[in-house]
């Protein structure tokens, strides 16, 4: 976000280009990066395929985007861009994706993660995963 140095009276805007007149009456053309705006608009409209495409194509900061998605209640979208297993596990539990959480739990193999997975699987009625989690933690 930036503020122009002098006023620009806009006459036309399209595809990230703004055409207008300055105070001296000279025609000006300003290029604007609308990636973040498109990202947030698609997220608001729940067009998740476009959100994923925008993130992959654009040079948006990874950690900031993941934090933004998680803060705004879209952990299932953030899950597509995380490679750290603990973060993947946390996001998968948050959005109720038992399959991804199970894969991450196998990779991490910590008692705390298996307990959290067991609780979430029990909430969803996935008794096979509950049994597996209880066996790993020896909580029978």
């Amino acid at each position: 976000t930036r503020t122009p140095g002098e006023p620009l009276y806009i006459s036309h805007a399209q595809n990230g280009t703004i055409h207008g007149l300055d105070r001296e009456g000279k025609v000006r053309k300003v290029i604007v990066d609308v990636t973040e705006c498109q990202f947030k608009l698609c997220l608001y409209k729940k067009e998740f395929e476009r959100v994923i495409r925008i993130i992959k194509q654009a040079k948006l900061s990874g950690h900031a985007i993941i934090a933004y998605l998680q803060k705004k209640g879209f952990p299932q979208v953030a899950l597509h861009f995380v490679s750290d297993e603990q973060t993947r596990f946390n996001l998968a539990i948050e959005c109720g994706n038992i399959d991804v959480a199970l894969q991450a739990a196998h990779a991490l193999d910590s008692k705390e993660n298996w307990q959290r997975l067991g609780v979430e699987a029990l909430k969803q009625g996935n008794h096979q995963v509950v049994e597996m989690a209880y066996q790993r933690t020896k909580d029978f």
Side-chain angles (χ1 to χ4, degrees):
T1 307
R2 72 179 178 111
T3 304
E6 60 183 62
L8 180 69
Y9 302 99
I10 299 173
S11 63
H12 181 74
Q14 183 177 5
N15 297 329
T17 304
I18 298 173
H19 299 272
L21 299 172
D22 62 12
R23 283 202 168 153
E24 297 172 3
K26 295 179 185 171
V27 176
R28 299 283 181 204
K29 179 173 137 181
V30 179
I31 307 295
V32 179
D33 183 5
V34 294
T35 306
E36 187 175 343
C37 182
Q38 287 177 332
F39 165 75
K40 290 180 179 179
L41 181 62
C42 290
L43 193 60
Y44 176 76
K45 290 180 175 180
K46 296 185 178 7
E47 296 174 353
F48 298 125
E49 291 81 22
R50 283 192 66 198
V51 168
I52 292 169
R53 195 172 341 113
I54 289 169
I55 292 174
K56 286 182 178 178
Q57 292 174 350
K59 294 189 174 34
L60 300 174
S61 175
H63 294 295
I65 291 300
I66 291 166
Y68 179 82
L69 288 167
Q70 192 172 10
K71 179 181 169 190
K72 294 297 181 181
F74 298 101
Q76 71 277 15
V77 179
L79 196 55
H80 289 279
F81 305 102
V82 177
S83 57
D84 175 63
E85 289 297 334
Q86 186 62 52
T87 307
R88 283 181 63 77
F89 178 81
N90 292 336
L91 288 171
I93 290 293
E94 187 177 336
C95 67
N97 190 331
I98 295 296
D99 294 330
V100 174
L102 180 60
Q103 291 171 359
H106 275 293
L108 295 166
D109 201 27
S110 77
K111 185 174 182 173
E112 180 185 329
N113 287 341
W114 283 111
Q115 287 172 336
R116 288 179 59 204
L117 179 61
V119 169
E120 184 61 33
L122 189 59
K123 286 180 189 175
Q124 293 185 20
N126 190 331
H127 298 288
Q128 291 174 327
V129 175
V130 172
E131 184 179 342
M132 182 188 306
Y134 286 174
Q135 287 175 355
R136 292 289 184 132
T137 60
K138 298 179 179 31
D139 290 339
F140 300 112

